[in-house]
Amino acid sequence: QVQLVESGGGLVQAGGSLRLSCLASGSYFSINTMSWYHHAPGKERDLVASITKSGSTNYPDSMEDRFTISRDSADGVYLQMDSLKPEDTGVYYCNAHVAPYSDLREYQYWGQGTQVTVSS
């Protein structure tokens, strides 16, 4: 079983910064793509950024250049959030495509989410 644990959320004023972390633990063969999703109140969960095991990143066209995703060799994924705006408020979820076994069949796992609140 794989666990994804997020941390780093909190309350910040507009224009401030936060760095979210997501650490994977448990038993698995490999983790490929890891992503961050944003769930704003009353809206759908949207992709913020993703990064492959080799370090290739993807940001939706709608994203401004305020967030940066990164990853370390220990399967931790991070989201640096700068110039935060009130509309960035919501729960941020970590997502991972995990291959539990050497056959490389992948399954999606989600973390429990971390709350980010940006005050105006």
Side-chain angles (χ1 to χ4, degrees):
Q1 190 70 7
V2 177
Q3 294 83 40
L4 301 175
V5 179
E6 300 106 330
S7 62
L11 174 64
V12 63
Q13 288 189 335
S17 296
L18 285 174
R19 186 173 188 257
L20 306 183
S21 300
C22 172
L23 301 180
S25 64
S27 177
Y28 57 88
F29 184 79
S30 68
I31 296 180
N32 191 3
T33 301
M34 301 185 79
S35 305
W36 286 98
Y37 283 77
H38 172 218
H39 192 184
K43 297 186 178 181
E44 294 183 354
R45 191 178 297 189
D46 292 327
L47 176 68
V48 174
S50 60
I51 185 167
T52 66
K53 191 173 182 66
S54 63
S56 297
T57 58
N58 175 63
Y59 299 90
D61 291 340
S62 58
M63 287 299 301
E64 304 171 12
D65 294 333
R66 298 182 292 114
F67 295 177
T68 303
I69 192 170
S70 61
R71 181 171 177 171
D72 62 27
S73 59
D75 290 329
V77 64
Y78 308 91
L79 187 68
Q80 179 66 40
M81 309 167 68
D82 298 319
S83 303
L84 283 161
K85 302 178 179 181
E87 51 263 43
D88 296 323
T89 293
V91 180
Y92 285 77
Y93 292 92
C94 176
N95 171 277
H97 289 238
V98 180
Y101 309 108
S102 59
D103 64 0
L104 300 182
R105 182 177 298 180
E106 295 185 351
Y107 302 86
Q108 284 199 62
Y109 288 83
W110 292 89
Q112 82 287 353
T114 185
Q115 175 71 42
V116 171
T117 303
V118 184
S119 63
S120 58

